[in-house]
Amino acid sequence: HVYCLHALNHVLKANTQVLGNNAKRRDREAEMDEDAFRDQGLTRPKVLMVVPFRESALRVVHILIALLESASQKKIDVSNKKRFKGEFGSNPEEKPPNLKRPEDYEATFAGNIDDHFRIGVAVLQKSMRLYAPFYSSDIIIASPLGLRTVIGAEGENKRDYDFLSSIEILIIDEADVYLMQNWEHVLHLINHMNLLPLASHGVDFSRVRMFSLNNWSKYYRQTLLFSALHHPQISSIFNKHCFNYRGQVAVRNAPLTGSISHVVVQLPHVFRKLEADSSVSVIDARFNFFIDKVLPEYRDAIMTHTLIYVPSYFDYVRLRNYFKKEELNFAHICEYSSKSGICRARHLFLSGEKQFLIITERFHFYKRYSIRGIRNLIFYELPTYPHFYSEICNMVKLAGMEGEATLTCTAFYSKYDAQKLAAVVGVERAAQMLQSFKNVHLFVTGGTE
């Protein structure tokens, strides 16, 4: 509600100023200063709202309509409203029945979860026009993928990003979800913000503000970035792509307890520290550490039912290829796996026919299936979402195995995982673990009755 109110307030004030100056120009005397009427950008769109799903865009438009109606105390005329509801709404019957999913899953994936869309919104004095052409819009609501297909890539004939040249407010909501979609699309969009347009698009240059003509728009753009978690990729947008001359403000909630406190299973958690010289070399360091130090411990037949949780798809492919080359007895599931493939892998893992099961973080994010039969758990890298750590750990059960079987959980971390580590174990413990000379730390969760 707050950022919609802020954006709408900005658009209405800007439009009022333009209309007021239009009237002054018609009635003005010859000697009035031309620069007094510089009230526009090089293109009309002023606000860009980046949201992950059509349902998010539907909510934003409903809030904008409600705000306009509350201001005027009467219903406003909204063009193309029926088409909008048809394309952005959802059919309640489409939702499969009796599926139990966590609350955060239900909140994220409510309604229409298509992630390829873009829509222009023109705000007029007593009405709103949906599906306005971008160059006639005040507000653009889109997903990163929806914008990526318009912006295109270098060398493509049909590409257009001039409509981003005079964006004055950029709002990126639910930034954490884009980490699970494709972060490259977000970076591609940011890199095409506030560039000089390639065509004039019928602009009256006598009305364009001087900072837009001087290509200084990025220093005047306000960027609002909202995320449910701390992540280096999100921080890099804030640090490297927000240039406003008035400065920056960041509000971050420090995780005091960590998600490990929500693990109810009695389980020893072994955190193993790995050394790396840079954030790039840590990728190879983690792989070599796993292959040389950790995997040999799990090759034994006693260590059956081992789940390996891999956040990065590239690491997943690397591990899968290594396991195939070494002819290890394993199954694997990712976000692209077919339903039958997922069922088969889960069954083979539960029955013990496959010793290892490798899953990706995106598979867990999008499906949230419960994996049964886990006795040994390896976090190849700490999860992006801290509550995934406790969710996966709480899946660990003996599942009718012999009573003397032991359960284990191992996680790798480096100094470059400070934010993720703090979210799992808490800020104080994370600081101690990162500064400690010891490379192995043990926590035990769950109490005996």
Side-chain angles (χ1 to χ4, degrees), residues 35 38-40 205-217 220:
D35 283 351
R38 292 192 179 274
D39 53 12
Q40 298 173 22
F205 286 100
S206 68
R207 299 288 294 275
V208 178
R209 298 184 191 95
M210 289 309 296
F211 67 75
S212 292
L213 294 172
N214 289 329
N215 198 20
W216 293 343
S217 294
Y220 290 81

Side-chain angles (χ1 to χ4, degrees), residues 264 266 446-449:
V264 294
Q266 188 169 7
T448 53
E449 293 182 3

Side-chain angles (χ1 to χ4, degrees), residues 148-210:
R148 179 72 173 80
T149 51
V150 176
I151 294 169
E154 205 169 327
E156 290 181 12
N157 291 329
K158 283 189 176 180
R159 58 184 310 220
D160 183 15
Y161 48 85
D162 287 358
F163 59 89
L164 300 173
S165 64
S166 297
I167 295 292
E168 293 159 18
I169 298 179
L170 169 64
I171 299 168
I172 302 177
D173 198 7
E174 298 181 71
D176 50 285
V177 177
Y178 309 132
L179 295 167
M180 298 292 118
Q181 291 178 345
N182 191 333
W183 191 252
E184 286 298 318
H185 296 334
V186 179
L187 295 177
H188 194 72
L189 159 66
I190 294 286
N191 288 329
H192 287 83
M193 292 293 300
N194 300 117
L195 301 178
L196 284 174
L198 301 175
S200 64
H201 301 282
V203 67
D204 178 359
F205 286 100
S206 68
R207 299 288 294 275
V208 178
R209 298 184 191 95
M210 289 309 296

